[in-house]
Amino acid sequence: MAKYQSVNPYTNETFASYDNPTASQIEDAINLADALYHKWRHETPESRAEILHQVADGFRQNEEEMAKIMTLEMGKMINESKGEVELCASICDYYADHGPQMLKPQPIESNLGNAYYLKQATGVIMACEPWNFPLYQVIRVFAPNFIVGNPILLKHAHNVPGSAALTAKIIKQAGAPEGSLINLYPSYDQLDQIIADPRIQGVALTGSERGGASVAENAGKNLKKSTMELGGNDAFIVLDDADPLVLKKALSSARTYNDGQVCTSSKRIIVVKSRYDEVLHELKNAFSVLKAGDPLDTSTTLPPMNSTRSRDKLSKQVDEAIDAGAKVFYEYPEINSDGAFFRPIILTDVDKNNPAYDQEFFGPVAIVYEVEDEDEAIALANDSSYGLGSSVISADVKHAQEVAAQIETGMTVINGTWISSGELPFGGIKKSGYGRELSDLGMMAFVNEHLVIDMPTE
Ligand code: NAP
């Protein structure tokens, strides 16, 4: 894509368009960011911590405006948008409070001399981000790298350019130096050229497998370090002893939070046979009570998807799944609107030959699998190209931890669904990508672990 436009998915009205930068604008941006990197090399992480707290406050003070533009551009329900702004402020506070300590030199035990490694900035990082959490995806990269001392160039998704601009503005107004985060609207070709520039030292992408493969290829060709946070087909495993209330609560949002457009949304609901009918019943209840409407209206519980393009892609996937034998257990009634609404649907009987078996459905589609027992549940969970998140629902937490350890995935939530916080590492394995964001692990993504050893002189 990379044709930057703000289109309200509730009305399909285009309300803003943005041009690609000129070559000299790109050169100026890289120069500015690179100059800041060199300046920051003479300053400490502690000196930036207070500014990052101010950035957190800036987001809290501008919560209404930030939340509104996100909702207008990609249809997220306004209260979820506000929650996202608060989460991002808390991530900034987290790195302001803990980041400098994480960057202290690490002593190394060695018989060869006094050894330690420094944790140093490496330079300007190119961040390519998706639309589904317009602020959170950016802050996951910006906040830790701000403390490290790596300035960020941002290429946001083509459909959230206004959110990108406001994010950069709030960061600047809060007191971050010019160049800390520079928002650009590059074409794919321009992005390739930026990545190839010797002043760019890393590439962080969150997005699809397709976009990730393309950008990772370019990063690899130019020997740039990269992190890839890609799609998922998360298993939500329901065991025999699942607490009915916990199960009901988890199911109520498992496939509808952010209208199901979450990388770690529970896309494969895997249920032992003793609980299968109950799960279908609870999911149907959760879907049928949704109220479709304007995402700016706080009484709405079913917003449009982010775009008609995504809606149409999802509809096509569902049609293909049904053609290949999937059964429709429930489908939400017709929605009389020109918006990008998708009617939530529950599918069953997806077998291994169905294309849906190993695809990501990025919207409110629940695919429910019945299995004999726990072993079959684990085997099915692992029979996937993806390995991002997962859930295990069981009253026996110790046992659920044992099950979690057997799942090939980057994250498991026991008795719950999607969760994120500054201190919790986020990321996956297999085609869900590599590297981690957030926590101390995410902090180290673009750090130079610089060994220093002083040898005995006698
Ligand atoms: P996407 O198409 O891959 O886009 C992500 C970003 O990459 C956008 O800025 C996009 O720009 C850019 N991009 C895509 N293809 C590119 C190419 N060939 N060259 C250069 N840049 C390219 O992803 P999406 O469909 O918008 O986002 C949804 C996906 O993100 C889902 O698969 C979801 O699971 C995943 N996701 C993963 C995580 C995680 O943490 N693992 C979190 C959230 C979402 P344009 O918009 O201009 O195309």
Tab-separated table of all heavy atoms in Angstrom, residues 398-417:
chain	number	residue	atom	x	y	z
A	398	LYS	N	-1.067	-24.892	38.609
A	398	LYS	CA	0.232	-25.576	38.486
A	398	LYS	C	0.223	-26.481	37.247
A	398	LYS	O	1.177	-26.509	36.474
A	398	LYS	CB	0.484	-26.390	39.756
A	398	LYS	CG	1.887	-26.872	39.856
A	398	LYS	CD	2.226	-27.293	41.280
A	398	LYS	CE	3.658	-27.783	41.375
A	398	LYS	NZ	3.973	-28.816	40.421
A	399	HIS	N	-0.861	-27.184	37.089
A	399	HIS	CA	-0.954	-28.067	35.925
A	399	HIS	C	-0.996	-27.234	34.630
A	399	HIS	O	-0.364	-27.593	33.628
A	399	HIS	CB	-2.186	-28.963	36.027
A	399	HIS	CG	-2.302	-29.902	34.876
A	399	HIS	ND1	-1.348	-30.867	34.613
A	399	HIS	CD2	-3.215	-29.999	33.880
A	399	HIS	CE1	-1.675	-31.511	33.518
A	399	HIS	NE2	-2.802	-31.007	33.046
A	400	ALA	N	-1.711	-26.127	34.668
A	400	ALA	CA	-1.778	-25.260	33.479
A	400	ALA	C	-0.381	-24.765	33.111
A	400	ALA	O	-0.047	-24.625	31.927
A	400	ALA	CB	-2.713	-24.093	33.738
A	401	GLN	N	0.454	-24.522	34.115
A	401	GLN	CA	1.842	-24.096	33.828
A	401	GLN	C	2.603	-25.210	33.117
A	401	GLN	O	3.416	-24.957	32.220
A	401	GLN	CB	2.560	-23.714	35.129
A	401	GLN	CG	2.048	-22.414	35.721
A	401	GLN	CD	2.578	-22.157	37.125
A	401	GLN	OE1	3.088	-23.046	37.793
A	401	GLN	NE2	2.425	-20.922	37.591
A	402	GLU	N	2.329	-26.461	33.519
A	402	GLU	CA	2.995	-27.601	32.845
A	402	GLU	C	2.535	-27.705	31.392
A	402	GLU	O	3.321	-27.979	30.492
A	402	GLU	CB	2.690	-28.903	33.594
A	402	GLU	CG	3.396	-28.987	34.936
A	402	GLU	CD	2.773	-30.010	35.896
A	402	GLU	OE1	1.814	-30.708	35.506
A	402	GLU	OE2	3.241	-30.070	37.039
A	403	VAL	N	1.260	-27.441	31.185
A	403	VAL	CA	0.729	-27.469	29.808
A	403	VAL	C	1.361	-26.320	29.016
A	403	VAL	O	1.817	-26.503	27.877
A	403	VAL	CB	-0.812	-27.361	29.817
A	403	VAL	CG1	-1.357	-27.182	28.401
A	403	VAL	CG2	-1.425	-28.593	30.474
A	404	ALA	N	1.408	-25.138	29.629
A	404	ALA	CA	1.981	-23.960	28.949
A	404	ALA	C	3.394	-24.260	28.452
A	404	ALA	O	3.759	-23.910	27.320
A	404	ALA	CB	2.010	-22.758	29.893
A	405	ALA	N	4.173	-24.949	29.282
A	405	ALA	CA	5.573	-25.223	28.929
A	405	ALA	C	5.686	-26.127	27.706
A	405	ALA	O	6.728	-26.177	27.065
A	405	ALA	CB	6.290	-25.847	30.122
A	406	GLN	N	4.599	-26.835	27.390
A	406	GLN	CA	4.653	-27.753	26.233
A	406	GLN	C	4.185	-27.094	24.932
A	406	GLN	O	4.227	-27.708	23.874
A	406	GLN	CB	3.769	-28.971	26.509
A	406	GLN	CG	4.283	-29.813	27.670
A	406	GLN	CD	3.331	-30.952	27.956
A	406	GLN	OE1	3.137	-31.819	27.136
A	406	GLN	NE2	2.705	-30.904	29.120
A	407	ILE	N	3.737	-25.857	25.013
A	407	ILE	CA	3.239	-25.187	23.807
A	407	ILE	C	4.388	-24.430	23.142
A	407	ILE	O	5.142	-23.710	23.806
A	407	ILE	CB	2.082	-24.216	24.145
A	407	ILE	CG1	0.977	-24.968	24.897
A	407	ILE	CG2	1.507	-23.624	22.868
A	407	ILE	CD1	-0.132	-24.073	25.404
A	408	GLU	N	4.512	-24.631	21.834
A	408	GLU	CA	5.575	-23.947	21.074
A	408	GLU	C	5.083	-22.537	20.739
A	408	GLU	O	4.407	-22.322	19.729
A	408	GLU	CB	5.862	-24.710	19.786
A	408	GLU	CG	6.441	-26.094	20.037
A	408	GLU	CD	6.407	-26.970	18.787
A	408	GLU	OE1	5.941	-26.505	17.728
A	408	GLU	OE2	6.815	-28.117	18.888
A	409	THR	N	5.403	-21.606	21.612
A	409	THR	CA	4.855	-20.261	21.477
A	409	THR	C	5.711	-19.274	22.261
A	409	THR	O	6.510	-19.676	23.108
A	409	THR	CB	3.396	-20.252	22.006
A	409	THR	OG1	2.807	-18.990	21.756
A	409	THR	CG2	3.341	-20.525	23.499
A	410	GLY	N	5.544	-17.987	21.964
A	410	GLY	CA	6.320	-16.980	22.685
A	410	GLY	C	5.708	-16.566	24.010
A	410	GLY	O	6.403	-16.069	24.895
A	411	MET	N	4.393	-16.742	24.151
A	411	MET	CA	3.708	-16.256	25.358
A	411	MET	C	2.507	-17.154	25.674
A	411	MET	O	1.834	-17.615	24.752
A	411	MET	CB	3.164	-14.835	25.130
A	411	MET	CG	4.209	-13.826	24.732
A	411	MET	SD	3.495	-12.243	24.191
A	411	MET	CE	3.177	-12.574	22.469
A	412	THR	N	2.251	-17.372	26.963
A	412	THR	CA	1.025	-18.083	27.370
A	412	THR	C	0.388	-17.341	28.533
A	412	THR	O	1.073	-16.989	29.505
A	412	THR	CB	1.337	-19.527	27.823
A	412	THR	OG1	1.984	-20.218	26.760
A	412	THR	CG2	0.056	-20.266	28.196
A	413	VAL	N	-0.900	-17.091	28.427
A	413	VAL	CA	-1.651	-16.496	29.531
A	413	VAL	C	-2.529	-17.600	30.128
A	413	VAL	O	-3.282	-18.250	29.397
A	413	VAL	CB	-2.541	-15.329	29.042
A	413	VAL	CG1	-3.328	-14.738	30.210
A	413	VAL	CG2	-1.695	-14.254	28.374
A	414	ILE	N	-2.405	-17.811	31.422
A	414	ILE	CA	-3.228	-18.827	32.088
A	414	ILE	C	-4.472	-18.146	32.649
A	414	ILE	O	-4.388	-17.115	33.325
A	414	ILE	CB	-2.416	-19.540	33.191
A	414	ILE	CG1	-1.304	-20.369	32.519
A	414	ILE	CG2	-3.319	-20.426	34.057
A	414	ILE	CD1	-0.279	-20.934	33.462
A	415	ASN	N	-5.608	-18.713	32.317
A	415	ASN	CA	-6.914	-18.205	32.767
A	415	ASN	C	-7.170	-16.764	32.330
A	415	ASN	O	-7.745	-15.958	33.084
A	415	ASN	CB	-7.061	-18.350	34.291
A	415	ASN	CG	-7.214	-19.811	34.674
A	415	ASN	OD1	-7.841	-20.588	33.930
A	415	ASN	ND2	-6.656	-20.204	35.796
A	416	GLY	N	-6.726	-16.441	31.146
A	416	GLY	CA	-6.996	-15.115	30.614
A	416	GLY	C	-6.640	-15.057	29.143
A	416	GLY	O	-6.267	-16.069	28.539
A	417	THR	N	-6.760	-13.860	28.593
A	417	THR	CA	-6.415	-13.670	27.177
A	417	THR	C	-5.359	-12.578	27.067
A	417	THR	O	-4.638	-12.326	28.009
A	417	THR	CB	-7.668	-13.321	26.344
A	417	THR	OG1	-8.289	-12.198	26.949
A	417	THR	CG2	-8.625	-14.489	26.276
